[in-house]
């Protein structure tokens, strides 16, 4: 069912600060994310190393609020195997133990990506680029080591992250250049070998765009037809107020991907800040721009008109998610609270953003009351 974007009556309690609505007001509701959506889909968050290891307040908040967890960075290649054959399991082990103690579903993120990979992975013994066979062996060894350690404990994995360009063509990463386009097939086969019971996902951003959606459908079908299991597609939902402008594009992608397997909303946040170039919105972490007051306008809070747009955007998104809960198995926010969100430092360091439904004091924002009521 398609939604009509309309003004939503929201219950808002806001603290006025210089004509802006500050996100430090106290929510009066007792409902949690995981209780609100218990009959619909898993609801999750991504956690950082500091939050996992030392922040007891955040650990308690996460245990209370969420039914799913993803490691923000601590399961990526550079974190787990910075040197060949030398693994650092400390943070990942603690995350898995914490999740088990609280009955929280964990998704491993991510086994293969073109970012945050140590240089040695792509180098041969002579300093030249690694051969196809060497790189495939390293990929298999890494995947088997990581999944093997958590076999039976981590039930799902983001196997490949961001293999597509914006036009739906394959990104010519080092993986692509040194192995060839079949590197994805091998990655999913290696993951299935390591744990035949685990759910395996492809994950990418801007998959609401028709051309990138079509590329993802073709990519996943090709992998499946080659005999490697892909159980679902993760839509990284890095959005902004008014982005995407047409939310039915998200709905179209959910429907299209639902024909291939599970649909996951994997990295949800909604920025309230202006973006310097509409064409570059998404999640390309290689972007690095200079900070300016024009692009960091809400240091002290968000104007009422933009707060309302933020609220309406989130309400509209959750209407879509709930309309298609038969296809969606998980919705995960990329971060626990506004203070921790990566959106404060992308695409420029030092901005103040408010992209999550939990404020800087780890209080649920008032709009969550309206969002939770949608699931009743």
């Amino acid at each position: 069912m398609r939604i009509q974007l309309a003004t939503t009556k929201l219950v808002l309690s806001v603290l006025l600060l210089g004509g802006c609505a500050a996100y430090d007001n106290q929510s009066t509701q007792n409902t949690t994310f995981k209780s609100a959506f218990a009959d619909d889909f898993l609801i999750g968050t991504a956690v950082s190393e500091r939050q996992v290891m030392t922040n007891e307040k955040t650990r308690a908040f996460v245990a209370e609020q969420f039914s799913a967890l993803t490691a923000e960075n601590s399961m990526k290649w550079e974190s787990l195997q910075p040197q060949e054959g030398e693994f650092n399991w400390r943070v990942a082990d603690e995350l898995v133990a914490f999740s088990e103690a609280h009955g929280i579903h964990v998704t491993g993120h991510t086994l293969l990506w073109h970012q945050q990979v140590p240089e040695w992975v792509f180098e041969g013994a002579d300093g030249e680029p690694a051969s196809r066979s060497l790189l495939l062996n390293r990929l298999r060894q890494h995947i088997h080591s990581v999944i093997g350690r958590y076999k039976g404990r981590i039930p799902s994995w983001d196997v490949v992250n961001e293999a597509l360009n914006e036009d739906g063509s394959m990104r010519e990463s080092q993986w692509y250049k040194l192995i060839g386009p079949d590197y994805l097939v091998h990655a999913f086969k290696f993951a299935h070998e390591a744990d035949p019971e685990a759910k395996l996902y492809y994950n990418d951003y801007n998959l609401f765009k028709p051309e990138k959606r079509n590329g993802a459908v073709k990519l996943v079908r090709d992998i499946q037809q080659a005999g490697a299991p892909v159980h679902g597609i993760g839509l990284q939902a890095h959005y902004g107020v008014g982005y995407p402008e047409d939310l039915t594009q998200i709905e179209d992608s959910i429907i299209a991907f639902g024909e291939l397997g599970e649909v996951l909303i994997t990295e949800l946040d909604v920025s309230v800040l202006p973006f310097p170039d509409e064409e570059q919105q998404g999640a390309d972490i290689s972007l690095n721009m200079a900070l300016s007051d024009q692009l960091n306008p809400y240091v002290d809070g968000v104007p009422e008109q933009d707060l309302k747009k933020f609220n309406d955007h989130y309400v509209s998104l959750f209407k879509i998610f709930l309309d298609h809960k038969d296809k969606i198995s998980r919705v995960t926010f990329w971060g626990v609270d506004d203070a921790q969100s990566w959106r404060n430092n992308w695409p420029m360091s030092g901005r103040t953003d408010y992209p999550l439904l939990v404020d800087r004091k780890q209080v649920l924002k008032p709009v969550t009351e309206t969002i939770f009521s949608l699931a009743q």
Side-chain angles (χ1 to χ4, degrees):
M1 181 177 73
R2 294 192 181 275
I3 66 165
Q4 297 295 322
L5 298 184
T7 301
T8 307
K9 290 185 68 176
L10 303 175
V11 180
L12 296 177
S13 304
V14 295
L15 177 67
L16 297 182
L17 179 62
C20 296
Y23 283 133
D24 60 358
N25 47 292
Q26 296 295 311
S27 172
T28 58
Q29 65 169 298
N30 296 315
T31 307
T32 63
F33 283 102
K34 67 181 180 183
S35 64
F37 299 105
D39 296 329
D40 305 306
F41 35 66
L42 294 172
I43 191 85
T45 187
V47 291
S48 67
E49 176 178 348
R50 182 180 66 84
Q51 291 172 320
V52 172
M53 301 302 292
T54 62
N55 193 318
E56 290 302 324
K57 177 186 176 183
T58 297
R59 287 164 64 97
F61 181 83
V62 168
E64 175 188 54
Q65 289 288 334
F66 299 104
S67 54
L69 279 185
T70 304
E72 190 172 23
N73 287 298
S74 58
M75 288 189 182
K76 292 171 181 172
W77 197 311
E78 70 175 7
S79 298
L80 287 184
Q81 193 182 185
Q83 302 294 329
E84 188 163 17
E86 298 179 9
F87 287 87
N88 180 1
W89 305 109
R90 183 179 63 95
V91 182
D93 281 355
E94 179 58 30
L95 174 63
V96 173
F98 170 80
S99 300
E100 290 175 333
H102 296 284
I104 300 174
H105 180 106
V106 181
T107 297
H109 176 84
T110 176
L111 296 170
L112 187 152
W113 190 24
H114 64 280
Q115 300 276 11
Q116 294 179 245
V117 184
E119 292 184 2
W120 66 262
V121 175
F122 302 113
E123 295 177 353
D126 54 1
E128 295 296 312
S131 65
R132 170 183 162 90
S133 61
L134 175 60
L135 191 51
L136 279 173
N137 284 336
R138 283 176 173 164
L139 179 61
R140 185 180 187 279
Q141 181 271 339
H142 181 80
I143 288 175
H144 273 257
S145 295
V146 175
I147 293 185
R149 184 174 184 87
Y150 302 112
K151 184 177 181 180
R153 302 176 70 195
I154 293 183
S156 58
W157 293 89
D158 291 334
V159 178
V160 177
N161 200 46
E162 301 175 7
L164 294 173
N165 295 312
E166 293 299 277
D167 63 359
S169 62
M170 288 192 68
R171 184 191 297 272
E172 294 191 10
S173 64
Q174 289 289 80
W175 298 107
Y176 181 95
K177 292 176 181 177
L178 298 178
I179 295 176
D182 64 337
Y183 79 88
L184 293 105
V185 175
H186 287 284
F188 279 92
K189 284 186 175 180
F190 295 157
H192 186 59
E193 290 172 1
D195 187 353
E197 301 301 317
K199 295 291 187 70
L200 309 178
Y201 306 135
Y202 174 73
N203 192 53
D204 213 329
Y205 60 86
N206 283 349
L207 290 181
F208 66 87
K209 295 182 176 181
E211 58 274 21
K212 198 164 187 178
R213 175 200 311 142
N214 294 337
V217 168
K218 181 182 185 303
L219 184 77
V220 170
R221 281 180 175 162
D222 287 347
I223 297 170
Q224 292 172 335
Q225 290 173 3
V230 182
H231 300 111
I233 298 177
L235 289 79
Q236 291 184 23
H238 294 299
Y239 301 143
V241 170
Y243 180 82
E245 183 176 0
D246 181 5
L247 296 188
T248 61
Q249 291 181 318
I250 297 173
E251 193 171 16
D252 290 340
S253 291
I254 291 171
I255 293 169
F257 298 149
E259 296 178 359
L260 299 173
E262 296 177 40
V263 178
L264 305 307
I265 308 299
T266 56
E267 304 185 17
L268 177 60
D269 48 36
V270 177
S271 175
V272 299
L273 298 180
F275 204 85
D277 186 345
E278 184 76 15
E279 294 301 316
Q280 292 182 308
Q281 289 214 51
D284 183 355
I285 67 168
S286 66
L287 290 179
N288 187 9
M289 304 177 183
L291 181 66
S292 69
D293 291 340
Q294 181 182 1
L295 298 174
N296 189 35
Y298 304 144
V299 175
D300 295 322
V302 184
E304 291 283 358
Q305 61 187 31
D306 291 315
L307 176 58
K308 184 182 183 304
K309 291 177 183 177
F310 171 89
N311 291 335
D312 287 350
H313 204 76
Y314 257 115
V315 170
S316 296
L317 287 171
F318 271 89
K319 283 183 178 178
I320 292 175
F321 301 158
L322 288 165
D323 282 345
H324 297 282
K325 63 183 181 180
D326 59 320
K327 307 174 189 67
I328 296 173
S329 58
R330 173 169 50 89
V331 175
T332 294
F333 298 98
W334 204 243
V336 175
D337 57 64
D338 283 342
Q340 178 253 337
S341 171
W342 77 296
R343 301 301 294 254
N344 294 301
N345 293 300
W346 181 88
M348 58 208 65
S349 181
R351 296 212 291 180
T352 303
D353 207 343
Y354 309 83
L356 300 170
L357 291 177
V358 180
D359 70 16
R360 281 170 163 75
K361 293 185 177 180
Q362 290 188 355
V363 175
L364 275 59
K365 296 177 183 178
V367 70
T368 56
E369 186 171 350
T370 300
I371 291 172
F372 291 171
S373 72
L374 298 174
Q376 294 176 359

